Amino acid sequence: MKIEIITTEETLRFKKIRLESLKESPDAFGTTFDQASSWDDENWVAQVKNLVTFLASIDGEDVGVVRTVVDKDDPSVAWIISMWTSPKARGKKVGSSLIEAIIEWARGKDLKSIKLDVVDSNAAAIGLYEKYGFQKNGVISRFPEPRDHLTEHQRELKL
C-alpha cells in the first residue's frame, strides 16, 4: 500500500475517488454527489490546493482518501475531513494507514490536536477513531440539508 499527499497536478485522481466516495457512502459526508458532480475544474483544483489530501493506493489503484486542514482560528489544531475507504479495500488497513499518515503529518507540524466530526451511525469509523485515541469532546451537530436528519459528534486526539 502506498500513502501519498497529492498535488494540484493530480486533481483528477482526487475528483474520481471523491465522487466514488459520495456515491457509495452518501450519508458519511456533508457534500452530496449531485453537488460535487456540478463543480467546475477550478473548484476541484481548489479542493486539493486548500486541503492537504492523502490518497491510499494498492497496486496503483486509489482505494482511500483523507483530507486535513489546519484550523484558521486555532493553528495548533488540524481537522480530518472526508475520510473514506473503497469497499473493495476495507479490511486491508487502509483506514489505519490514512489515520497514521495524518497523525505523523500533524506531529511534523507540531500541532497539539486533531479533531474530526463523525456521523453517529458510522460504527466502523467510530471504532477506527477510538482505536487511535480520538475521544468525544462533547460537541454535537446535524448535517446540512438534505440530510439534516443525521447527527454527528466531534472527536479529538491530543498529540
Side-chain angles (χ1 to χ4, degrees), residues 6-22 31-51 53 65 67 82:
I6 63 165
T7 65
T8 55
E9 288 78 28
E10 299 166 292
T11 297
L12 287 178
R13 289 176 64 197
F14 168 66
K15 178 181 179 180
K16 180 182 177 197
I17 199 165
R18 178 69 169 149
L19 289 174
E20 184 181 348
S21 71
L22 294 170
T31 302
T32 67
F33 176 82
D34 289 340
Q35 290 168 330
S37 294
S38 70
W39 293 346
D40 61 19
D41 290 344
E42 274 186 37
N43 190 304
W44 285 104
V45 169
Q47 292 279 314
V48 175
K49 182 179 180 183
N50 298 327
L51 300 169
T53 303
V65 61
R67 300 182 299 158
S82 65

Side-chain angles (χ1 to χ4, degrees), residues 59-124:
D59 298 328
E61 181 180 357
D62 293 327
V63 294
V65 61
V66 66
R67 300 182 299 158
T68 188
V69 65
V70 174
D71 191 295
K72 287 183 267 182
D73 297 324
D74 184 352
S76 72
V77 176
W79 284 87
I80 288 180
I81 301 169
S82 65
M83 184 165 161
W84 180 79
T85 300
S86 171
K88 63 185 158 201
R90 291 181 186 157
K92 297 182 179 179
K93 306 288 185 197
V94 173
S96 292
S97 296
L98 289 168
I99 289 288
E100 289 167 7
I102 291 277
I103 292 170
E104 181 180 330
W105 173 86
R107 286 188 173 138
K109 300 278 184 200
D110 292 324
L111 301 177
K112 303 297 181 217
S113 69
I114 304 171
K115 294 182 181 182
L116 58 87
D117 293 307
V118 62
V119 176
D120 294 333
S121 60
N122 193 341

